[in-house]
Amino acid sequence: MARSNNVSFAVLLFLGIMLIASPILAIENEDESAEVEYIDNENLASSPESSMEILPGFLKNCANTISKPTGDKVFDYIFGDEKSLDYDTCSEVTGSGKECNDALVKYVAEGPLFKANYNFYLKRGDDLYNICLAVFVD
């Protein structure tokens, strides 16, 4: 029974990650010959209110700053039942920046599977970032 639950959870986690990654990875430049400029705090005027307003390149850059194992842990912490964090995960999360963390959480939370608890997930994403800053980085 426990083995069945673990397999089911792994399948759901994989599907959730694919739900996140597929639209981000499918985004392409209109002009593929143009080089994508990295977006950082200096050339990002302000954080958008909705992830639908976020530049596709910004989301893609954010997703590329997080490794798959860290992405899995973060997803499970925010949208699943993971209760613990580690130094490596927090290093990547804080290294990507608050704007990236917020944008990626908003993007997933606005999806059909999580929209009903949107504010809960946004708070959970903030909690993760703040815990990482306070405990693992400072």
Side-chain angles (χ1 to χ4, degrees):
M1 179 71 168
R3 175 89 173 133
S4 171
N5 286 340
N6 287 342
V7 171
S8 297
F9 180 74
V11 169
L12 288 174
L13 181 60
F14 175 76
L15 291 174
I17 292 168
M18 292 307 296
L19 176 70
I20 295 168
S22 295
I24 294 171
L25 296 176
I27 298 170
E28 294 183 29
N29 273 341
E30 291 178 21
D31 180 12
E32 292 184 5
S33 65
E35 214 175 290
V36 177
E37 184 179 326
Y38 180 76
I39 300 173
D40 58 17
N41 289 338
E42 292 179 11
N43 60 12
L44 180 64
S46 63
S47 295
E49 293 300 314
S50 167
S51 67
M52 298 306 169
E53 301 169 15
I54 297 173
L55 299 171
F58 178 69
L59 273 176
K60 191 172 183 179
N61 284 338
C62 288
N64 288 335
T65 64
I66 304 288
S67 67
K68 184 175 179 344
T70 295
D72 293 345
K73 288 177 188 175
V74 168
F75 181 88
D76 195 30
Y77 186 87
I78 297 171
F79 299 98
D81 60 358
E82 179 62 42
K83 306 276 189 265
S84 64
L85 297 169
D86 58 51
Y87 178 81
D88 292 336
T89 300
C90 283
S91 291
E92 285 191 47
V93 167
T94 56
S96 69
K98 179 80 168 125
E99 291 84 11
C100 280
N101 182 67
D102 290 349
L104 291 170
V105 172
K106 283 180 184 180
Y107 180 79
V108 176
E110 289 176 350
L113 294 176
F114 304 109
K115 197 172 204 166
N117 295 315
Y118 179 79
N119 289 328
F120 171 79
Y121 294 125
L122 291 184
K123 179 170 180 351
R124 192 84 171 133
D126 280 341
D127 291 348
L128 174 135
Y129 193 84
N130 291 333
I131 289 168
C132 284
L133 278 178
V135 175
F136 293 100
V137 178
D138 286 340

